[in-house]
Amino acid sequence: MTSKQINPPPANTDAAAHVTGKSVYVDDIPVMEGALWVKVLDARVAHGVIKRLDIRAAEQMEGVVKIFTYCDIPGENQVGGIIPDEPLLADHEVHFQGQPIALIAAETEDQAAAALEKIILEIEPLPVITDPREAFRQGKLLSPSRTFSKGNTAEAFSRCAHIFEGKTETGGQEHLYLETQGAYAIATEHNSVRIYSSTQGPTAVQRTVARVLGVGMNQVEVDVTRLGGGFGGKEDQASTWGAFAALVAHVLKRPAKCIPHRMEDMRMTGKRNPYSSDFKIGLDADCRIIAYEATFYQNGGAAADLSPAILERTLFHAANSYAIPHVHVTAHSCKTNLPPNTAFRGFGGPQGKFVIEAAIDCAAKNLGVHAALIQRKNLLDDGYEFHYGQIAVGAEAKNSWNTLEQKQPFAAVMADVEAFNTTHAWQKKGAAWMPICFGISFTNTMMNHARALVHVYSDGSVGVSTGAVEMGQGVNMKMIQVAAACLGVSWDRIKLETTNTTRVANTSPSAASATADLNGKALTDACNQIRARLDALVKSLFGADEKAAVTLRDNRVYLNGQDTDLNWNQLIQQAFIQRVNLSAKGHYATPQIHFDKSTGKGHPFAYHVYGTALTVCTVDCLRGIYTIDLVDVVHDFGTSINRHIDLGQCEGGIVQGIGWMTMEEVVYNAEGRLLSNALSTYKIPDIYSVPAVLDIQFLDTEGSDLAIFKSKAVGEPPLMYGIGAFFALRNAVLAFNPASNIAYSAPMTPEKVLMGLHG
Ligand code: LUZ
Ligand code: MOS
């Protein structure tokens, strides 16, 4: 096999088409003649009983073909993935503003919109809950509460020199994928349907549509070219939009397209789960953390969606990168009258990490030291037993911290900050360190498997299908690199096909940062099967014995290290003539992982990803505005197979994390109405909010054998560096006003900064 470390790495195959506008998204697919537009009528009351739904006038409107309610669903009116608690279309009650009630299928979008206005809907309101603690008090839970525990915190607290308690809040986050949700469906022969969907989970769409239509999964084909972003928002919730389009296409036997506008998407879809949490941390006289307890109140919204799984990942990551002998963490998934919240990059991990960072910060402030001193002292090492039973291997927590320390010594950074602060009355700087430790694998062991299908065509070109969905993260390029390395051909001979459920079945969603690992490993399996057949052919062509070494490299064939004069194309031609099977299906299931939910112990993750970030910011103490001056990171990539892509993932994740922590504020009013419902009221980071210096150093580590070519997963972990921005800002505020009562409440918006400076 050729070298896996490609330097310089190839550019993303999608890059040129993206910047020239040629990349195809769902709305770019030319629709067939007779295609209908589907519009959704959604609830404008967060909780209530539907008293009247009169569609007669609307159905008479020009261009309207049919209006669908739950009565028109041939199969089950159900889209709940983990728990069947979410109707596709509301039946008698509504549980959140934005809940779909009816679908209008019309010849044009304008006609559908006009008809929507004519539907008469009366809802008798019921009490609305938006606060997770209030939901908990009323016993409204989406799934059973969970506790992970190690040691004996109660006993340990009695021995602690210092104990601190507090409360934290983290807000939601709108995914704001550039491409909204959407699907385009076509009825096909044998009562079947084909759906072009903007989904991270083609199989999830397929399964949901089969259920809703009451047909077999073999009658539903889902095809995904690429997504204009997903970030978790299309892991589960794309299924609803797939089902809308499929329902109309299936019943009316006409193509149907359902794509919400931005404001509809923002209003109807769930976001990152906000959390309200309590912590209690105990330290010895030497600042070692002895015991940690936390209770998490997850705002799940009106249906379970993925919240029970997100809750679990919060518990897994509750202690971040710290070695703590006694841990007891409990989480409640609270049912509120908000759109069902869902996966978002980090999947509950960021919410868990924020709380322990707040606990450490709280301890540090009370003890009069910088949090970094406590953080550094408590980093975990190889051999550490996580509170869920897994033993740390290849732990880079200390290594990444120490490597950053060489570049940005703590004493020097703090001296600079303090020098600035003593000479500036109306501007203050703050610095914070943020270590991360993120487990790679779906926490649900069952989901950690993948398949790939490889065809080598008789002209030597190669078609690759996997279960991986390209959503801007560059997974297609990584798959091309994997196939090229295994087959010894150049990248340009390999084409990544769309992700399609008839070519690759039973896929897990592209999620959990594990897509390149799982699908890449399945792809190596497929390529190696073809290689074994080709190697045997080469030996027979040259009359070489069994033990001869065949190498395929740069489109050429080598035998025992000697060039054979045979190139790849000629070899494939020979193979075809000799009727060798040039196709293979690969499979991979992550070995070694297991987890016992009843005990909360096991080995759930293939490996962990580590790293450390330093964030420095400057606050304008008159206005409350601020800049993030510097984010300096040492990140554990393992042996990166593509530094461009991995760097891009890291940079994007950090900026998205800073957005979540500092400016993105999802606001619902007491009636459950989304107030931050457009880009004018919801601020995401732009190029001006990117740190002036964003420096990412590759901590080249051995990497895990369970990572593809030892190149560690990179999708989610970097987002959590953004948490450092919150604490850097908080430190700057306290430098101006040491008596500030500023809370551990994210996002740290300029408004909160201003209140903190002067409150
Ligand atoms: N999705 C999921 C995820 O179903 N399980 C996970 O563990 C996960 N982790 C991160 C992101 N999505
Ligand atoms: Mo995700 S939060 O890996 O879809």
Side-chain angles (χ1 to χ4, degrees), residues 470-596:
E470 174 61 52
M471 47 187 150
Q473 87 281 45
V475 74
N476 280 0
M477 190 62 227
K478 287 190 174 179
M479 294 303 104
I480 288 173
Q481 290 182 240
V482 168
C486 292
L487 298 175
V489 299
S490 49
W491 305 316
D492 58 356
R493 305 310 307 277
I494 297 167
K495 181 187 171 213
L496 249 285
E497 305 291 356
T498 61
T499 314
N500 185 297
T501 53
T502 63
R503 264 179 274 117
V504 178
N506 304 323
T507 61
S508 285
S510 286
S513 307
T515 312
D517 282 359
L518 296 174
N519 292 279
K521 295 251 177 189
L523 179 54
T524 34
D525 178 38
C527 292
N528 288 341
Q529 292 171 43
I530 296 174
R531 268 302 302 267
R533 298 176 207 141
L534 293 176
D535 288 8
L537 175 66
V538 170
K539 288 175 202 169
S540 87
L541 284 175
F542 293 98
D545 64 45
E546 263 299 289
K547 292 196 198 67
V550 177
T551 311
L552 303 185
R553 190 179 351 113
D554 304 332
N555 302 329
R556 297 206 61 80
V557 180
Y558 299 80
L559 189 62
N560 292 326
Q562 300 293 314
D563 196 335
T564 61
D565 272 354
L566 197 65
N567 66 26
W568 167 261
N569 283 3
Q570 291 162 334
L571 173 64
I572 296 305
Q573 243 166 31
Q574 274 301 318
F576 183 67
I577 289 165
Q578 302 213 13
R579 298 181 295 167
V580 173
N581 180 359
L582 288 171
S583 296
K585 187 94 195 204
H587 171 81
Y588 176 74
T590 311
Q592 299 166 22
I593 53 171
H594 57 88
F595 187 69
D596 181 343

Side-chain angles (χ1 to χ4, degrees), residues 732-751:
V733 168
L734 290 167
F736 179 80
N737 176 8
S740 174
N741 59 3
I742 190 161
Y744 291 109
S745 172
M748 183 76 88
T749 56
E751 192 178 347

Side-chain angles (χ1 to χ4, degrees), residues 235 306 309 313 343 346-347 438 441-444 447 509 511-513 716:
E235 180 174 338
L306 291 165
R313 196 176 269 281
F347 205 76
F438 195 80
S441 288
F442 289 96
T443 58
N444 182 356
M447 294 171 78
S513 307
E716 294 170 293

